[in-house]
Amino acid sequence: MGRGHPECPQRLDAIDDYLLASGVDVALQRREAPLVDLACAWPTSARSTSGYVAELRNVLEQVQDANIPLRSLDPDTAACPGTWRAVQRAAGAAVAATDAVLDGEVANAFCSIRPPGHHATRNATMGFCFFNNVAVAARHALDVRGLERVAIVDFDVHHGNGTEDIIANDERVLMVSFFQNPLYPYNGTDPLGDNMVNLPVPPYTRGAEVREMIEAHWMPRLEAFRPQMIFVSAGFDAHREDDLGQLGLVEADYEWITRRIKDVADRHAGGKIVSCLEGGYNLGALARSVTAHVRVLAGI
Ligand SMILES: [Zn+2]
């Protein structure tokens, strides 16, 4: 993304390092992310409304082939020669994880991927995001693998406006989230569909209050919806050490949230969860929070 940009490669290194240092690594099965054909994987409804995939592919391939160091696509999002492969791998990880979980090869999966995806709408890059990894995976589960109901849980500090753009009013999907308000992308307070549970929370809200809201507003809807699989937009920028937001969550809160997600998955979905990294920009807080999240997913 360019020098000094918070969405940097060191994020994934920090996660790897801490998984290793904490000993969680030995309990995990590691897989390389395959490249996915985005022209096929991008949600059908989104594909038919625009030539977005083809247009963005052209731009990213041009940046790759001409070895252009950096090209800005919007005020927050820039592409470098590695971006085209990175976006195919990020979405590819989410799709491969979905297949691995649905085929019973693994109980659940965490995709340690970048760039993130939840701000990417059906036809625009936004907020460090090019393609919506979670939406691609959720639609793969529905359209290709034949599931009837999937839930998307988004606990990033920013509203997942791109995911909402793609899945609002799709009755096969329930999306629950909380996000700081006001904060980028400055929307989400008026949900675009009945299948959205959007919880805007003011700056400086602490984890205990967020937990109460989750218990009161997410859990009844998730229980009633009985998802067959749960996708997580796992952003860790609501951590109190993260400067991109002003919320006060800590590792124990991410552990608690993951446990509640797992409870629902265990009751209704045979434990099937695919979690995809979104935000989280303080490297230490990110690494510790992901490890807390993965620890619960792995049951250790
Ligand atoms: Zn974020």
Side-chain angles (χ1 to χ4, degrees):
M1 290 276 179
R3 196 177 292 274
H5 197 290
E7 208 293 275
C8 61
Q10 289 75 24
R11 297 175 64 226
L12 300 189
D13 295 336
I15 291 170
D16 269 354
D17 284 352
Y18 203 78
L19 286 172
L20 200 64
S22 62
V24 171
D25 189 66
V26 294
L28 308 179
Q29 189 189 123
R30 216 167 245 279
R31 296 188 180 194
E32 280 299 306
L35 297 168
V36 75
D37 180 358
L38 282 159
C40 294
W42 192 241
T44 319
S45 62
R47 209 159 63 215
S48 58
T49 54
S50 76
Y52 177 64
V53 174
E55 284 168 27
L56 190 50
R57 177 188 183 144
N58 281 344
V59 172
L60 297 180
E61 281 187 338
Q62 194 187 12
V63 170
Q64 173 187 271
D65 296 344
N67 206 23
I68 297 167
L70 208 62
R71 178 180 288 178
S72 278
L73 302 181
D74 68 58
D76 305 300
T77 316
C80 73
T83 299
W84 174 234
R85 285 181 70 80
V87 298
Q88 292 177 87
R89 276 199 196 281
V95 171
T98 302
D99 283 334
V101 170
L102 282 171
D103 292 339
E105 296 169 17
V106 293
N108 55 46
F110 174 72
C111 301
S112 192
I113 51 176
R114 52 180 295 276
H118 75 152
H119 295 306
T121 70
R122 64 186 70 201
N123 56 15
T125 64
M126 252 184 92
F128 323 159
C129 301
F130 300 82
F131 292 99
N132 197 310
N133 306 314
V134 156
V136 165
R139 293 292 295 267
H140 177 75
L142 295 164
D143 297 342
V144 179
R145 300 300 305 259
L147 295 194
E148 291 168 354
R149 294 180 313 281
V150 303
I152 297 176
V153 176
D154 187 327
F155 56 72
D156 191 277
V157 77
H158 303 97
H159 174 50
N161 64 294
T163 315
E164 179 170 32
D165 173 68
I166 292 168
I167 63 97
N169 294 311
D170 183 339
E171 289 172 358
R172 303 169 301 167
V173 187
L174 173 70
M175 179 172 176
V176 301
S177 73
F178 72 85
F179 49 89
Q180 183 182 321
N181 179 63
L183 187 68
Y184 183 90
Y186 303 102
N187 55 26
T189 50
D190 295 317
L192 299 179
D194 292 338
N195 62 331
M196 303 293 305
V197 178
N198 295 2
L199 302 180
V201 300
Y204 308 109
T205 303
R206 298 170 69 101
E209 294 159 77
V210 169
R211 293 190 198 193
E212 278 177 25
M213 294 179 76
I214 287 173
E215 209 60 69
H217 299 282
W218 285 9
M219 298 310 288
R221 288 291 298 272
L222 286 167
E223 286 296 333
F225 186 70
R226 296 181 297 113
Q228 295 167 303
M229 185 161 182
I230 300 180
F231 294 88
V232 184
S233 266
F236 298 90
D237 40 10
H239 195 285
R240 74 174 174 206
E241 291 171 27
D242 199 294
D243 291 336
L244 266 73
Q246 287 82 39
L247 295 191
L249 274 66
V250 295
E251 291 86 318
D253 296 310
Y254 291 113
E255 184 184 328
W256 183 89
I257 293 170
T258 310
R259 226 173 266 291
R260 296 305 277 141
I261 295 169
K262 206 171 174 213
D263 288 344
V264 177
D266 286 344
R267 270 197 293 279
H268 301 291
K272 292 194 280 294
I273 300 171
V274 168
S275 174
C276 295
L277 182 66
E278 299 282 0
Y281 304 100
N282 177 301
L283 297 183
L286 171 67
R288 298 191 309 269
S289 302
V290 167
T291 301
H293 177 62
V294 167
R295 212 184 261 283
V296 176
L297 289 177
I300 53 174

